[in-house]
């Protein structure tokens, strides 16, 4: 687990021999005389040398030549080019920032999508649809998030300790989007003629109620939907008094496998696992690795993944 980041906007410059303190025990790893060493920014640290040195970036595998070299996690065999350094740095700045977790998650998704060329995204989607027939039942956006996450994960496998947070967030975003498509939009249509005034002021139902009253708003995030679902699952009193929950309960009757949606060990249990162990950690200062991605992948699109259960749970009676 990574230690807390230093201030990201503070850079200390140390000249000459003092910089050698940061060098590895194997001095042959240092390409030439160090002139400056910069403060670590997350697991990244830059060093400036007297001479330009050729090296292969361990992340993109391209050969570069520069006086300024970034190393990853204190390992001089893991040298980064400026392009990869900037991309990784942007991730750590997001994760170490002061924005709310929901906003960090959105920013990480944007970073994930921007890191993969459009053609690579398209090819990844084709591979996903070919390898997983159940993906045909997912929305186009969910497929894009999953396929892009899988593409990035495949590139990261050469170094399982590199930052995997964007790939993890991509899987979480697919779940969030599919919840909107399969549950929240149908719920909004069902509640379109209801007076949701009281529900909109409810601390647990309010975010979903406001969206149902105005679908032009940004859809609720996973955490907000999780609170709504927990209330629907456990609060008998609000089931009887809430117009929104009344619409939800009528709606789920129309779905063949809807018992899983209201089972305490069903969707809410899975979402809580996803949010607590993966989404929130990815949006926080923690560094996520390959093991985290594999665990999240199994939860979301494994053989018994929650996305496949969600598809079954929201099928309408014929």
């Amino acid at each position: 687990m990574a230690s807390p980041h230093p201030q990201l906007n503070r850079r200390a410059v140390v000249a000459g021999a003092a910089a050698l303190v940061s060098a590895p025990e194997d001095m042959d790893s240092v390409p030439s005389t160090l002139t400056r060493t910069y403060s670590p920014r997350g697991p990244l640290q830059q060093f400036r040398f007297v001479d330009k040195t050729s090296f292969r970036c361990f992340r993109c595998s391209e050969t570069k030549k520069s006086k300024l070299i970034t190393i990853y996690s204190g390992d001089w065999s893991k040298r980064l080019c400026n392009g990869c350094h900037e991309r990784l740095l942007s991730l750590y700045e997001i994760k170490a920032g002061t924005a709310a977790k929901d906003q960090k998650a959105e920013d990480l998704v944007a970073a994930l999508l921007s890191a993969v060329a459009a053609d690579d995204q398209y090819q990844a989607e084709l591979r996903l649809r070919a390898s997983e027939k159940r993906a045909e039942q997912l929305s186009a956006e969910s497929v894009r998030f999953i396929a892009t996450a899988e593409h990035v994960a495949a590139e990261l496998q050469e170094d399982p300790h590199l930052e995997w947070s964007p790939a993890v967030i991509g899987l979480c975003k697919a779940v969030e989007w599919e919840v909107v498509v399969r549950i929240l939009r149908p719920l909004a249509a069902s509640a379109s003629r209801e007076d949701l005034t009281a529900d909109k002021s409810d601390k647990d139902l309010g975010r979903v109620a406001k969206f149902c009253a105005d679908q032009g708003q940004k859809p609720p995030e996973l955490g907000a939907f999780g609170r709504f679902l927990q209330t629907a699952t456990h609060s008998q009193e609000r089931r009887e008094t809430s117009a929104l929950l009344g619409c939800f309960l009528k709606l789920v009757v129309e779905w063949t496998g809807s018992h899983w949606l209201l089972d305490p060990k069903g969707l809410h249990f899975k979402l809580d696992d996803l949010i607590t162990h993966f989404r929130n950690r990815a949006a926080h200062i923690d560094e996520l690795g390959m093991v985290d991605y594999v665990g999240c992948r199994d939860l979301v699109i494994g053989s018994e993944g929650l996305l496949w259960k969600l598809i079954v749970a929201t099928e309408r009676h014929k």
Side-chain angles (χ1 to χ4, degrees):
M1 196 69 67
S3 299
H5 292 249
Q7 292 293 324
L8 289 175
N9 61 355
R10 181 174 60 86
R11 188 177 71 178
V13 179
V14 182
L20 295 176
V21 173
S22 298
E25 292 181 4
D26 178 8
M27 294 302 294
D28 292 336
S29 298
V30 181
S32 67
T33 303
L34 276 165
T35 59
R36 291 182 180 178
T37 184
Y38 300 89
S39 292
R41 303 173 81 176
L44 309 175
Q45 188 167 20
Q46 288 188 307
F47 298 86
R48 185 174 293 280
F49 300 90
V50 170
D51 304 314
K52 287 187 176 181
T53 301
S54 294
F55 65 96
R56 184 179 296 276
C57 175
F58 91 101
R59 186 171 184 267
C60 68
S61 298
E62 292 188 10
T63 300
K64 303 290 182 177
K65 189 172 184 178
S66 176
K67 291 182 179 180
L68 186 65
I69 298 176
T70 302
I71 64 167
Y72 182 82
S73 196
D75 186 345
W76 281 76
S77 69
K78 296 178 179 178
R79 303 178 189 185
L80 290 161
C81 67
N82 286 339
C84 287
H85 166 257
E86 290 303 318
R87 281 190 287 273
L88 282 175
L89 182 59
S90 68
L91 300 182
Y92 295 115
E93 288 179 330
I94 291 170
K95 289 162 68 69
T98 58
K101 286 187 176 68
D102 290 335
Q103 184 58 53
K104 288 183 181 181
E106 290 298 314
D107 292 342
L108 287 170
V109 167
L112 169 71
L113 297 178
S114 66
V116 180
D119 185 62
D120 288 337
Q121 286 185 27
Y122 176 70
Q123 295 298 325
E125 289 176 28
L126 291 180
R127 289 193 297 273
L128 176 62
R129 294 183 189 278
S131 63
E132 180 54 80
K133 295 302 182 183
R134 291 177 292 187
E136 292 295 337
Q137 299 182 64
L138 296 173
S139 65
E141 284 297 313
S142 295
V143 169
R144 182 165 73 111
F145 291 132
I146 295 169
T148 306
E150 290 280 81
H151 176 80
V152 169
E155 292 188 333
L156 288 171
Q157 283 182 10
E158 292 186 6
D159 194 299
H161 302 295
L162 202 54
E163 179 56 78
W164 289 63
S165 292
V168 168
I169 285 289
L171 296 179
C172 297
K173 188 65 177 180
V175 174
E176 183 175 278
W177 191 264
E178 209 62 26
V179 164
V180 171
V181 171
R182 291 185 167 271
I183 297 178
L184 293 181
R185 293 204 185 281
L187 176 58
S190 177
S192 60
R193 297 183 180 180
E194 298 290 334
D195 180 2
L196 301 180
T197 303
D199 289 313
K200 286 192 289 185
S201 62
D202 188 292
K203 65 182 179 63
D204 296 316
L205 308 178
R207 185 71 182 84
V208 172
K210 290 174 184 177
F211 173 74
C212 289
D214 178 10
Q215 290 191 61
Q217 292 193 13
K218 180 182 175 183
E221 298 79 11
L222 281 179
F225 175 73
R227 289 191 295 275
F228 167 84
L229 189 59
Q230 182 179 31
T231 304
T233 301
H234 295 289
S235 179
Q236 183 62 39
E237 178 184 351
R238 276 191 277 183
R239 282 191 184 199
E240 296 172 355
T241 59
S242 165
L244 184 62
L245 289 184
C247 290
F248 179 64
L249 295 175
K250 290 177 184 177
L251 184 64
V252 298
V253 171
E254 301 176 10
W255 294 332
T256 57
S258 58
H259 61 278
W260 183 72
L261 299 178
L262 295 174
D263 186 337
K265 293 294 184 181
L267 179 57
H268 178 260
F269 182 80
K270 295 292 186 181
L271 287 179
D272 186 61
D273 189 5
L274 183 70
I275 293 167
T276 302
H277 296 108
F278 300 105
R279 180 185 177 276
N280 286 355
R281 288 181 56 225
H284 199 248
I285 207 166
D286 295 356
E287 285 184 56
L288 272 61
M290 184 173 69
V291 171
D292 298 298
Y293 182 80
V294 170
C296 185
R297 186 185 190 281
D298 184 61
L299 178 62
V300 173
I301 57 171
S303 59
E304 297 295 323
L306 74 85
L307 275 182
W308 315 134
K309 288 180 176 290
L310 184 59
I311 289 173
V312 173
T314 53
E315 286 287 332
R316 289 189 177 274
H317 292 290
K318 295 182 180 179

